[in-house]
């Protein structure tokens, strides 16, 4: 069985929902489908929550009413029979009455999570009703019945596999199984969400639980490109990536995928394919545990980086110095992207500067601190094992005219990273494309 995940733009209109139905049923084999909320819906639900936090009930009701009208307009476009138009209209009225019920009660983060979950409840019910109208044997499985996180807010794979297996046993013989992405219950039974990677994470967890033959992530672009197509000319889709390569690209700027969401698929050895709903015949990108040796695959960039350098003569031969420095960042829950050390100093980069002032105050106890803002990390990804003689030279050659603040090489077999000024990013990305791919 294949798992197919469709994002918000893929189910953003009645026409898109109909196209998704054709894609899902094309092979005739049973499939498990994970759906996001219709594009724009989650933003509206967050806006409703924001009004309710501020106790602006009129503002919340206005957004609810506008969203309801939008959904009701879709009914006549999506369904042809009175039976399914009425069935879906009644369901949506209940949903929007449920949203209005929050304008009368105390509002906390628990209620917000329940509100945000409704976007996917609506999209999955609408698509299931459409498939049933088309005579397709379709089953809707509520993600809240099997998707759960543990007390560390991490997915509970044993629970997920056990509960999902029982639900699949109860609903044998269906052609299409549909569930929500993103939503789950936490360890205490409350409605929650998976946060990182959302629906992609759900698809990966379900694929691992079902031991699927493949997990397909359908979006509105044809896979990961070898550079940022918004900035660089003549980019091409990368047809094959190793899981580590995909994680590096996702972390350093390739927005099509969250860096951690495919981990369950990686550990289960299940390939993940990134495909385009607007161009279903495109090859897309396949991510697996297989490595293509001797190839540089792609370039990505991450903006809004801050570089911090601490210089201290006390560092020379001092044990525990780096531990003290890193503990400061840990205490302010600020991850470090890159690290470079010398005998008298250490440079680090961060992408979250919300506690920069406090971090600098703490670091000044140990040495002289300097900060560079408006920086960017450019990451080159591929088979960059140190034994591949000359690969790092090709990359450095492309960067020869770009001022480089830091270089990270050797921490991974799959990437070389450069810290540069944001103003030099476009030139660096284009140079790398020209040198490595064109």
């Amino acid at each position: 069985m294949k798992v197919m995940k469709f994002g918000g733009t893929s189910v953003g209109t009645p026409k898109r929902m109909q196209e998704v139905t054709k894609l899902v049923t094309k092979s005739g084999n049973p499939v498990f489908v994970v759906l996001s909320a219709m594009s724009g819906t989650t933003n509206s639900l967050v806006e409703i929550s924001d009004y309710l936090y501020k106790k602006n009930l009129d503002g919340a009701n206005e957004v609810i009413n506008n969203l309801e009208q939008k959904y009701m307009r879709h009914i006549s476009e999506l369904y042809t029979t009175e039976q399914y138009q009425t069935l879906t209209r009644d369901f949506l009225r209940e949903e929007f009455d449920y949203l209005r019920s929050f304008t009368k009660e105390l509002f906390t983060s628990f209620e917000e999570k329940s509100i945000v979950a409704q976007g996917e409840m609506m999209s999955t019910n609408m698509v299931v009703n459409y498939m049933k109208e088309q005579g397709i044997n379709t089953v809707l499985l509520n993600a809240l019945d099997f998707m759960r996180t543990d007390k560390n807010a991490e997915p509970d794979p044993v629970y997920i596999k056990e509960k999902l297996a029982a639900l699949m046993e109860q609903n044998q013989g269906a052609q299409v199984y549909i569930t929500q992405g993103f939503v789950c219950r936490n360890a205490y039974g409350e409605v929650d969400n998976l946060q990182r990677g959302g629906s992609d994470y759900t698809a990966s967890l379900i694929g691992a639980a079902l031991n699927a033959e493949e997990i397909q992530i359908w979006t509105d672009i044809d896979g990961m490109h070898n550079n940022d197509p918004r900035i660089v000319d003549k980019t091409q889709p990368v047809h094959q990536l190793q899981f580590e390569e995909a994680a590096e690209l996702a972390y350093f700027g390739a927005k099509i995928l969250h860096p951690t969401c495919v981990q369950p698929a990686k550990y289960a050895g299940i390939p993940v394919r990134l495909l385009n709903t607007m161009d279903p015949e495109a090859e897309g990108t396949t991510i697996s545990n297989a490595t293509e040796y001797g190839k540089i695959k792609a370039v990505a960039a991450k903006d809004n980086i801050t570089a911090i350098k601490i210089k201290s003569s006390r560092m020379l031969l001092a044990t525990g110095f780096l531990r003290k420095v890193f503990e400061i960042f840990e205490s302010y829950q600020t991850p470090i992207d890159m690290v470079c050390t010398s005998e008298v100093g250490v440079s680090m980069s961060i992408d979250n500067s919300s506690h920069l002032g406090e971090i600098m105050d703490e670091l000044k106890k140990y040495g002289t601190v300097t900060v560079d803002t408006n920086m960017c990390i450019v990451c080159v990804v591929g088979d960059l094992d140190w034994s591949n003689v000359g690969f790092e030279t090709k990359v450095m050659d492309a960067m020869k005219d770009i001022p480089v603040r830091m270089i990270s090489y050797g921490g991974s077999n799959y990437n070389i990273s450069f810290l540069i000024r944001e103003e030099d990013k476009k030139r660096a990305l284009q140079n790398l494309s020209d040198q490595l791919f064109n």
Side-chain angles (χ1 to χ4, degrees):
M1 178 180 284
K2 292 181 180 179
V3 174
M4 304 173 75
K5 175 265 176 179
F6 294 90
T9 54
S10 298
V11 291
T13 65
K15 187 175 187 304
R16 296 304 322 152
M17 289 180 173
Q18 291 164 352
E19 292 298 323
V20 162
T21 299
K22 291 177 186 175
L23 285 173
V24 163
T25 56
K26 186 176 180 180
S27 70
N29 298 320
V31 292
F32 199 112
V33 179
V34 178
L35 296 181
S36 298
M38 289 178 67
S39 54
T41 299
T42 300
N43 288 341
S44 295
L45 296 172
V46 170
E47 186 181 6
I48 292 165
S49 300
D50 191 42
Y51 278 122
L52 293 175
Y53 274 124
K54 294 177 169 62
K55 303 193 185 304
N56 183 347
L57 305 187
D58 290 340
N61 277 315
E62 184 174 341
V63 179
I64 292 170
N65 292 340
N66 290 338
L67 191 61
E68 182 176 26
Q69 289 171 24
K70 173 186 170 183
Y71 270 80
M72 291 303 179
R73 284 195 298 271
H74 291 327
I75 290 175
S76 58
E77 295 178 54
L78 186 56
Y79 308 101
T80 55
T81 65
E82 184 64 34
Q83 176 191 353
Y84 280 95
Q85 287 183 4
T86 302
L87 180 67
T88 308
R89 192 178 290 113
D90 290 345
F91 164 74
L92 289 175
R93 281 189 183 128
E94 287 180 13
E95 278 290 305
F96 285 102
D97 285 344
Y98 176 66
L99 292 179
R100 290 186 186 93
S101 72
F102 290 98
T103 64
K104 306 179 182 71
E105 299 174 3
L106 177 70
F107 196 77
T108 69
S109 61
F110 298 111
E111 283 76 26
E112 179 183 15
K113 286 173 181 174
S114 293
I115 283 180
V116 173
Q118 300 316 305
E120 293 180 344
M121 298 299 176
M122 289 190 279
S123 65
T124 49
N125 272 275
M126 290 173 73
V127 172
V128 166
N129 286 348
Y130 175 72
M131 288 190 179
K132 287 182 175 178
E133 186 185 51
Q134 301 305 303
I136 300 163
N137 185 357
T138 310
V139 172
L140 177 60
L141 301 179
N142 192 328
L144 298 178
D145 292 337
F146 65 88
M147 192 62 62
R148 188 177 79 169
T149 55
D150 58 23
K151 291 183 180 179
N152 296 315
E154 295 293 338
D156 185 341
V158 175
Y159 177 94
I160 293 166
K161 185 170 186 175
E162 179 185 312
K163 293 294 182 183
L164 187 55
L167 288 170
M168 295 296 283
E169 181 72 24
Q170 292 167 22
N171 295 279
Q172 289 185 59
Q175 184 180 350
V176 181
Y177 299 87
I178 292 184
T179 195
Q180 302 82 22
F182 188 66
V183 299
C184 64
R185 291 194 186 277
N186 60 26
Y188 310 99
E190 300 155 340
V191 175
D192 210 325
N193 58 67
L194 291 173
Q195 298 175 7
R196 302 172 310 187
S199 302
D200 294 349
Y201 210 174
T202 300
S204 187
L205 289 163
I206 289 171
L210 296 176
N211 196 26
E213 63 179 281
E214 183 176 270
I215 298 164
Q216 299 179 351
I217 309 291
W218 291 81
T219 63
D220 55 357
I221 58 175
D222 49 349
M224 279 195 182
H225 278 232
N226 60 9
N227 212 321
D228 190 337
R230 298 167 300 178
I231 297 174
V232 175
D233 300 327
K234 301 177 183 176
T235 67
Q236 297 291 329
V238 182
H239 296 310
Q240 195 278 335
L241 287 169
Q242 202 263 6
F243 277 113
E244 298 288 345
E245 293 172 339
E248 296 278 12
L249 288 171
Y251 183 75
F252 285 105
K255 302 296 184 187
I256 188 174
L257 197 66
H258 191 282
T260 61
C261 73
V262 293
Q263 282 182 353
K266 173 188 171 183
Y267 298 142
I270 300 169
V272 175
R273 291 185 71 201
L274 309 180
L275 297 163
N276 186 358
T277 48
M278 312 303 172
D279 184 9
E281 300 307 314
E283 184 178 345
T285 301
T286 299
I287 305 169
S288 69
N289 283 318
T291 298
E292 277 190 303
Y293 294 102
K295 276 193 176 182
I296 294 177
K297 295 293 188 64
V299 178
K302 189 176 185 181
D303 295 327
N304 302 314
I305 302 296
T306 300
I308 303 168
K309 180 165 75 173
I310 174 170
K311 189 171 69 172
S312 172
S313 57
R314 286 182 290 169
M315 183 181 177
L316 187 64
L317 303 178
T319 58
F321 179 84
L322 285 177
R323 174 180 57 79
K324 291 171 185 174
V325 168
F326 292 146
E327 280 177 349
I328 293 169
F329 288 88
E330 182 185 4
S331 66
Y332 290 101
Q333 295 185 319
T334 302
I336 295 170
D337 289 317
M338 293 174 66
V339 181
C340 290
T341 64
S342 73
E343 289 294 353
V344 293
V346 55
S347 287
M348 296 148 292
S349 72
I350 58 174
D351 64 1
N352 177 3
S353 57
S354 57
H355 295 289
L356 181 59
E358 298 100 309
I359 289 169
M360 286 181 64
D361 286 342
E362 296 280 346
L363 290 174
K364 284 175 181 176
K365 297 174 184 176
Y366 302 104
T368 305
V369 180
T370 56
V371 172
D372 295 307
T373 56
N374 300 318
M375 305 296 283
C376 164
I377 294 176
V378 172
C379 172
V380 179
V381 167
D383 176 24
L384 290 162
D385 188 273
W386 67 278
S387 61
N388 290 330
V389 178
F391 273 32
E392 70 281 1
T393 307
K394 287 183 71 176
V395 176
M396 299 291 185
D397 235 19
M399 299 292 290
K400 64 185 178 184
D401 298 323
I402 309 291
V404 176
R405 168 72 173 75
M406 289 168 62
I407 300 174
S408 175
Y409 176 51
S412 158
N413 287 337
Y414 300 100
N415 109 25
I416 301 176
S417 295
F418 300 87
L419 184 67
I420 63 173
R421 299 175 302 196
E422 281 188 7
E423 63 196 74
D424 295 322
K425 178 176 90 168
K426 182 175 181 178
R427 195 155 52 100
L429 294 182
Q430 189 66 60
N431 286 358
L432 285 162
S433 263
D434 293 342
Q435 178 79 13
L436 303 175
F437 310 126
N438 297 334

